[in-house]
Amino acid sequence: MTALRTNQDLDHLRLREVFGIFPSGVVAVAALVDGVPVGLAASSFTSVSLDPPLVSFSIANASKTWPDLRRAVHLGVTILADHHSTVARQLAGAPARRFDGLPLTATPLGAVTLDDGLAHFETTIHREVLAGDHTIVLLRLLAAHHAGVSDRSPLVFHRSRFGRIQRQSDQ
């Protein structure tokens, strides 16, 4: 095992490799902006607080999507299922085609969720915290819905690839 000893050893490629050892779930964050669905895939989603109910994700400061998406009154968050690897790639692709062919639901205040996700949240932006080359976005939950399907697993991002959790019933 090679140890990282100094800041000179912490180059971006090496850090990405080391960070990739830890698996994370993948969500879609989306809303109607000027009547059009705008969104992205994020692999940094996590629960934060029960009181008040908060979740978070991180977004690169260089994101071209976040400046538009953050103008939305409400944001939808969808926990993607293990069959959504193509959807996650699509949400990271060309902005004008991100939602092509995807079954969506929009709330009256513009939160957009993918119909076949494992869970859906309707949120508002609680706070944004600048953190180096990313911004941590804290979202306040307004509603939470579980799909109620127990035979699907979440989509996982690990070592720069999408995968799934192997459950005991899959073995």
Side-chain angles (χ1 to χ4, degrees):
M1 181 161 98
T2 305
L4 300 175
R5 292 188 185 89
T6 67
N7 284 342
Q8 290 78 20
D9 294 327
L10 298 178
D11 69 85
H12 293 180
L13 293 175
R14 176 90 170 129
L15 276 176
R16 183 179 292 261
E17 176 186 332
V18 174
F19 288 163
I21 291 169
F22 187 72
S24 60
V26 184
V27 298
V29 181
L32 293 178
V33 178
D34 300 328
V36 176
V38 173
L40 50 87
S43 63
S44 55
F45 178 80
T46 191
S47 59
V48 174
S49 172
L50 294 174
D51 187 19
L54 300 173
V55 294
S56 73
F57 73 98
S58 297
I59 186 74
N61 294 335
S63 170
K64 303 272 193 254
T65 303
W66 182 241
D68 289 331
L69 189 56
R70 70 187 300 273
R71 295 189 298 123
V73 176
H74 286 191
L75 299 173
V77 177
T78 305
I79 296 178
L80 299 181
D82 55 8
H83 69 278
H84 281 133
S85 60
T86 302
V87 170
R89 284 186 199 87
Q90 184 174 330
L91 290 172
R97 315 260 351 232
R98 287 188 179 165
F99 294 97
D100 287 359
L102 299 180
L104 307 173
T105 297
T107 67
L109 291 175
V112 171
T113 55
L114 280 70
D115 292 350
D116 61 345
L118 296 178
H120 306 102
F121 303 98
E122 185 172 356
T123 71
T124 59
I125 297 172
H126 179 74
R127 183 171 298 140
E128 295 178 60
V129 179
L130 187 60
D133 61 359
H134 278 64
T135 295
I136 300 166
V137 181
L138 292 167
L139 300 172
R140 186 174 191 123
L141 297 177
L142 305 173
H145 305 282
H146 184 286
V149 180
S150 63
D151 65 336
R152 294 190 305 179
S153 295
L155 182 64
V156 175
F157 191 69
H158 180 236
R159 296 189 191 268
S160 299
R161 291 188 309 245
F162 294 111
R164 63 181 297 216
I165 295 171
Q166 186 172 354
R167 301 175 307 177
Q168 280 192 304
S169 62
D170 295 339
Q171 296 176 349

